[in-house]
Amino acid sequence: MNFAFTEEQLMIQQAARDYAQRELIQDVLERDASCEFPHRHVKALAELGFMGMMVDPAYDGGGLDAVSYVLAMEEISKVDASTSVIMSVNNSLVCYGINAFCTHEQKEKYLKPLARGEKLGAFLLSEPEAGSDATSQRTIAEDKGDYYLVNGTKNWITNANSASYYVLIAQTDPSKKHKGITAFIVEKDSPGITLGPHEDKMGMRSSDTHAVMFNDVKVPKANRIGEEGFGFTFAMKVLEGGRIGIAAQALGIASGALERAVAYSKERKAFGTAIANHQAIAFKLADMAVKVENARNLCLKAAWLKDQGKPYGVASAMAKQYAADIAMEVTTEAVQIHGGYGYVKEYHVERLMREAKLTQIYEGTSEVQKIIISRDLIK
């Protein structure tokens, strides 16, 4: 593994940093308070090529590597995880799955506008009774000849309202359990699709999250991804890559909190000197820095393995579990270092702490990651 970034990777990192620090920061607090979707920023990220970073250029993508993706995700997430999760879902869960497993015709129709950022995608796996246990799908897609008839409900769907295309995981043969699960591309404006209310979330409030209900929705056979029964394998493969994106998001939240804690501790004075000069604070900062660097190395290793075509599922689980857990620890310490100011919104660290929590939950809880890691150890 080469620890030196290429010139292209450094340019991508700098472009993401510049945009986040110059543009995203301007309205992040207002959007957090009002739950306003970042339409302007999503459009700008698309123009930067950040909505289909790893998609084959033949389908209008950037053709970039996973390391570049991690670098960009970290910089965006330092400032605004609501925007970075929109970017992550479109890249990791939607574009990756279509790019890797769909037909040329499906890619021409759906992947190109997604990769250009002209359209957004959403990934529909979780259900009211199927979160961590993804095998327990209750949404049914019944074969009707030249189309499937879909009925069921999906929960906690990021981009549910703003997306044009859904990647749907549904049960086509309940008797086969997880081997009867199938994946589809569904157009959001299909008759029979309705959304639940916007979820009033603790963090990442500027991204839109809804339940999605299907009532006799017709999905053409041409929109099935792979063969019947491929859906569970498809979902697990997609989530392996998705974990890299969320690990990078957690890393960005943690590193953003560390940067703010360092800056504040050098400005804030107590007992005649900057609080950074007090060992109690200095040692907190040192511990935070070690955790952030460890998380960064795990993220980059998982991305590097993916780029090399090597197995990366366990590495991405390690990166996601560790980065998410230290994001909570580091943001909590950042609030503590800020004292009373850390508890008010204008200093950002309380928002980062709220955003960190979700990284321990979605795209596989920290406990699920430990299942993946431990099973690999003892298999």
Side-chain angles (χ1 to χ4, degrees):
M1 184 175 177
N2 186 349
F3 285 88
F5 297 128
T6 66
E7 184 176 343
E8 182 180 50
Q9 289 166 343
L10 291 171
M11 288 175 61
I12 290 162
Q13 181 186 48
Q14 189 63 50
R17 180 181 298 150
D18 287 346
Y19 186 80
Q21 299 294 334
R22 185 182 68 249
E23 299 293 338
L24 270 180
I25 193 66
Q26 290 184 14
D27 61 352
V28 65
L29 294 178
E30 291 79 4
R31 285 186 290 102
D32 176 70
S34 65
C35 300
E36 179 188 349
F37 189 83
H39 293 285
R40 174 174 70 88
H41 299 299
V42 171
K43 182 181 179 185
L45 291 175
E47 291 170 354
L48 287 169
F50 286 171
M51 298 307 290
M53 294 182 70
M54 296 172 286
V55 172
D56 187 333
Y59 298 102
D60 296 344
L64 298 169
D65 57 7
V67 169
S68 297
Y69 175 52
V70 166
L71 295 176
M73 276 294 296
E74 179 184 357
E75 295 300 329
I76 299 298
S77 303
K78 283 181 182 180
V79 174
D80 183 13
S82 290
T83 298
S84 73
V85 73
I86 298 164
M87 175 177 157
S88 176
V89 167
N90 207 67
N91 274 283
S92 296
L93 299 184
V94 179
C95 284
Y96 169 72
I98 297 174
N99 191 67
F101 298 106
C102 283
T103 65
H104 171 70
E105 291 74 21
Q106 290 170 332
K107 293 177 187 179
E108 282 285 331
K109 184 174 182 179
Y110 296 111
L111 184 56
K112 280 187 172 182
L114 286 165
R116 292 192 298 265
E118 295 171 359
K119 304 288 186 181
L120 282 180
F123 186 74
L124 280 62
L125 175 63
S126 293
E127 298 185 357
E129 297 182 34
S132 294
D133 180 9
T135 64
S136 299
Q137 297 291 305
R138 302 286 182 89
T139 298
I140 301 295
E142 186 180 355
D143 191 342
K144 294 292 188 180
D146 60 349
Y147 67 91
Y148 289 87
L149 197 65
V150 179
N151 286 280
T153 299
K154 294 293 182 177
N155 254 22
W156 315 118
I157 305 305
T158 301
N159 295 349
N161 186 50
S162 54
S164 298
Y165 309 135
Y166 294 154
V167 173
L168 171 70
I169 310 300
Q171 186 67 258
T172 47
D173 189 345
S175 68
K176 294 181 179 179
K177 298 183 179 179
H178 74 280
K179 293 184 179 180
I181 293 172
T182 304
F184 304 89
I185 300 172
V186 183
E187 297 182 14
K188 183 206 166 193
D189 60 2
S190 301
I193 293 178
T194 56
L195 302 186
H198 183 282
E199 300 289 356
D200 190 6
K201 307 189 297 290
M202 179 171 75
M204 302 196 197
R205 293 168 55 78
S206 187
S207 72
D208 68 275
T209 307
H210 301 256
V212 182
M213 283 78 78
F214 294 84
N215 183 21
D216 287 343
V217 177
K218 292 182 178 180
V219 179
K221 271 269 176 74
N223 283 32
R224 189 182 67 203
I225 299 175
E227 298 300 317
E228 278 197 11
F230 177 61
F232 184 75
T233 299
F234 169 82
M236 295 304 103
K237 290 291 186 184
V238 167
L239 286 171
E240 279 186 353
R243 290 185 192 111
I244 295 176
I246 299 305
Q249 181 186 56
L251 165 64
I253 293 168
S255 60
L258 174 60
E259 288 179 3
R260 289 187 176 277
V262 169
Y264 180 81
S265 69
K266 291 161 70 176
E267 295 171 0
R268 175 70 170 175
K269 289 183 170 55
F271 306 104
T273 187
I275 63 172
N277 295 326
H278 295 294
Q279 189 178 85
I281 302 300
F283 280 16
K284 279 185 187 294
L285 294 172
D287 288 341
M288 292 159 71
V290 171
K291 290 171 182 175
V292 168
E293 190 62 19
N294 283 339
R296 183 175 289 114
N297 287 335
L298 283 170
C299 290
L300 290 171
K301 180 183 179 182
W304 179 83
L305 288 170
K306 186 174 187 288
D307 289 337
Q308 299 302 309
K310 299 177 184 294
Y312 64 92
V314 175
S316 69
M318 288 181 173
K320 202 268 187 186
Q321 181 255 307
Y322 183 79
D325 289 350
I326 70 99
M328 273 307 301
E329 295 174 22
V330 170
T331 55
T332 301
E333 289 287 47
V335 171
Q336 188 70 18
I337 288 168
H338 280 72
Y341 292 104
Y343 207 64
V344 297
K345 295 184 182 299
E346 67 179 288
Y347 282 78
H348 294 277
V349 287
E350 66 84 30
R351 175 177 56 83
L352 293 172
M353 185 173 73
R354 287 188 284 110
E355 291 178 337
K357 185 60 198 172
L358 189 54
T359 67
Q360 293 181 306
I361 298 172
Y362 65 0
E363 292 193 34
T365 64
S366 290
E367 291 76 15
V368 166
Q369 308 314 314
K370 290 177 182 179
I371 291 172
I372 294 168
I373 296 162
S374 61
R375 284 179 178 172
D376 184 72
L377 287 171
I378 62 179
K379 69 182 178 182

